[in-house]
Each structure stands twice: as C-alpha cells, then as structure tokens.
Amino acid sequence: MTISLTRLMSAIKEPKIAKFWIGYFRENFRGEINDQLLEAFHESDITKADIARKLDKRPEQITRWLSAPCNLESDTISDIALSLGFVPKIRFEKIGAEQSNNRTHAFLARYEATTSCREISAPMQKTSTQVREMTVAY
C-alpha cells in the first residue's frame, strides 16, 4: 500500500491523529519488526528449536513469534535478536525525510539479484563470531 505524503502531512497537523493513520503505522511497524527478525533468522544458521532452547521457551512459541507480524514486546524482540547474534537498534525518522516508502529489504534484494536458488546461499553466509545490528525504522 502506498500512502500519499500530502494526506499524511495534513493528517498529522490536525489536533487529533485519525485512527486510520495510527492503525496504519502500527501495522507497518509490526511488519518492519517481523521482516527484520525473519531476515536475521535466515542469515543465521540457528533453528527455531535452537532459539527455543536459548530462551527457555517452547518451540511453538518461537514459531508464533516468527510466523507473522504481531505486537511483540520490546523485551521479546531483544531476546530473539540476541539469540540470533544481533543487537537490536531503533531510530526515528522524520515523516517526509524518506524519499519513498516503497523499500526492498536486503534479503529480498539478494534473492531477486540471483539467477538461481543455489546462488542465494553464498551471500547469506555469516561469519562465525560477529555480532550484527538489526535496525527497525520507518
């Protein structure tokens, strides 16, 4: 879904932000978090069972967390990221500062850039002891 920047800028100048915009940005943010967690998961060589053991959770809980965007607590996001070898970061961007809200995540860009399924595994290999950053931003 593409949003009109003019409509958004007009809406946030109102004394009360419309429920539509609040809902839109909540869902968008949940999706961003889910995308980042899935990208981190796919870049790691850790299984959902490994995450469950590390966090002392049941495997089905990990599956629920990673299966679809949901309203995860910040502690849960941090725990999952840590179990995958990432440090979660967050930053706020001023509305309108970004040229386009139509972004392609790095994982998808690597997939689209490959010509066969075998080639996608090489750029996704990780170094064994590095801690990587995970940034969630709109």
Side-chain angles (χ1 to χ4, degrees), residues 3 14 20 27 32 35 39 45 47 53 68 71 75 80 86 97 109 135 137:
I3 60 169
E14 295 294 322
F20 166 81
E27 287 300 318
E32 284 284 327
D35 290 347
E39 186 175 331
D45 58 356
T47 67
R53 279 189 291 278
N71 198 12
D75 290 350
I80 296 169
F86 284 79
T135 302

Side-chain angles (χ1 to χ4, degrees), residues 49-99:
D50 294 333
I51 297 170
R53 279 189 291 278
K54 286 181 177 206
L55 300 179
D56 195 27
K57 299 288 183 187
R58 297 181 60 84
E60 57 268 19
Q61 181 64 54
I62 306 305
T63 298
R64 278 194 297 275
W65 285 342
L66 296 178
S67 65
C70 57
N71 198 12
L72 296 174
E73 293 182 1
S74 58
D75 290 350
T76 303
I77 296 166
S78 177
D79 295 349
I80 296 169
L82 182 62
S83 74
L84 295 169
F86 284 79
V87 177
K89 302 281 183 178
I90 188 168
R91 71 174 191 268
F92 294 92
E93 294 179 2
K94 188 79 173 159
I95 293 174
E98 199 173 272
Q99 293 298 320

Side-chain angles (χ1 to χ4, degrees), residues 12 14-15 19 22-24 37 42 44 48 52 64 69 82 86 96 98-99 113 124 135-136:
I12 62 173
E14 295 294 322
K19 289 181 181 182
I22 291 172
Y24 175 85
L37 288 173
H42 290 297
S44 72
K48 291 178 186 177
R64 278 194 297 275
L82 182 62
F86 284 79
E98 199 173 272
Q99 293 298 320
M124 291 175 47
T135 302
V136 179

Side-chain angles (χ1 to χ4, degrees), residues 114-131:
T114 61
T115 56
S116 75
C117 292
R118 278 181 259 145
E119 294 175 3
I120 195 167
S121 62
M124 291 175 47
Q125 292 176 351
K126 69 172 187 73
T127 56
S128 60
T129 58
Q130 288 182 333
V131 174

